[in-house]
Amino acid sequence: MTPTRWLTSTEMRAWTAFLDCSTLLGDYLDQQLRRDARLTRADCGLLARLSAAPDRTMQISPLAEQLKFTRSRLTRAVIRLEDSGYVRRRDDPSDRRGQLAELTGTGAELLTKAAPGHVAAVRRAVFDVLAPEQVGQWATISEAITAALRRADEESAYPSALPWQRR
């Protein structure tokens, strides 16, 4: 068995800062979206994925995979958004067992109205407090971590298992 490589004090500081930052930022953005658009970040992300898809439509399974949602969580979210008139579900003609989620005109209007306030909140919370070189560093760091996690996910027999979970 390989001995545990504990975090150094600098690594622990960075890790704790990241956890605090991601938690506080998530809460801040959730509050802004709920207040201004009556949406959660998860719902906003779902609507945004659909808005960027061809014909504003995606199959449920790939959409769940992109959002890192379980299929049942996505189905519940789509039903809730469908009840609000933002999404439409329909059978997938190319896959008899599959379903499609489609962003409606009302959903697209909601995203269009929500975007300015959300961008302003992101700018206020993140980019206005960073120097330009810090933004570039943050992008590079985030891209490196994302690439490593995607490789780990692809190499694993278990979806979303991280390297330390596969040993």
Side-chain angles (χ1 to χ4, degrees):
M1 187 166 123
T2 308
T4 301
R5 288 182 51 221
W6 297 106
L7 300 179
T8 67
S9 60
T10 301
E11 290 168 337
M12 182 58 89
R13 177 178 162 235
W15 179 242
T16 303
F18 167 76
L19 291 176
D20 290 348
C21 173
S22 62
T23 299
L24 291 170
L25 182 60
D27 288 348
Y28 174 77
L29 294 175
D30 265 331
Q31 288 174 18
Q32 179 273 318
L33 282 167
R34 281 196 171 112
R35 181 186 64 242
D36 297 349
R38 299 183 195 273
L39 282 175
T40 65
R41 262 185 315 134
D43 288 345
C44 188
L46 190 161
L47 296 175
R49 293 279 177 159
L50 291 176
S51 75
D55 299 322
R56 300 187 317 196
T57 303
M58 288 186 72
Q59 293 176 321
I60 293 287
S61 292
L63 181 57
E65 188 174 313
Q66 284 184 19
L67 294 168
K68 296 298 183 193
F69 284 9
T70 62
R71 192 173 156 91
S72 63
R73 178 182 177 196
L74 180 64
T75 298
R76 286 191 305 273
V78 167
I79 289 169
R80 188 177 62 257
L81 292 168
E82 185 177 38
D83 290 345
S84 298
Y86 303 136
V87 171
R88 181 178 308 114
R89 274 185 309 154
R90 55 187 164 92
D91 292 333
D92 184 349
S94 67
D95 179 359
R96 293 178 45 193
R97 295 176 299 164
Q99 283 200 315
L100 299 171
E102 177 185 359
L103 182 68
T104 64
T106 304
E109 286 176 27
L110 176 67
L111 273 180
T112 299
K113 288 179 184 174
H118 189 60
V119 169
V122 169
R123 179 163 298 288
R124 216 173 14 258
V126 178
F127 298 105
D128 289 351
V129 300
L130 297 176
E133 59 274 4
Q134 289 175 306
V135 173
Q137 292 165 350
W138 186 34
T140 300
I141 291 165
S142 296
E143 290 162 355
I145 293 169
T146 299
L149 290 170
R150 285 192 174 135
R151 280 192 305 277
D153 196 34
E154 291 168 3
E155 295 167 2
S156 171
Y158 304 100
S160 73
L162 299 169
W164 60 84
Q165 294 172 319
R166 294 195 311 261
R167 292 194 172 109

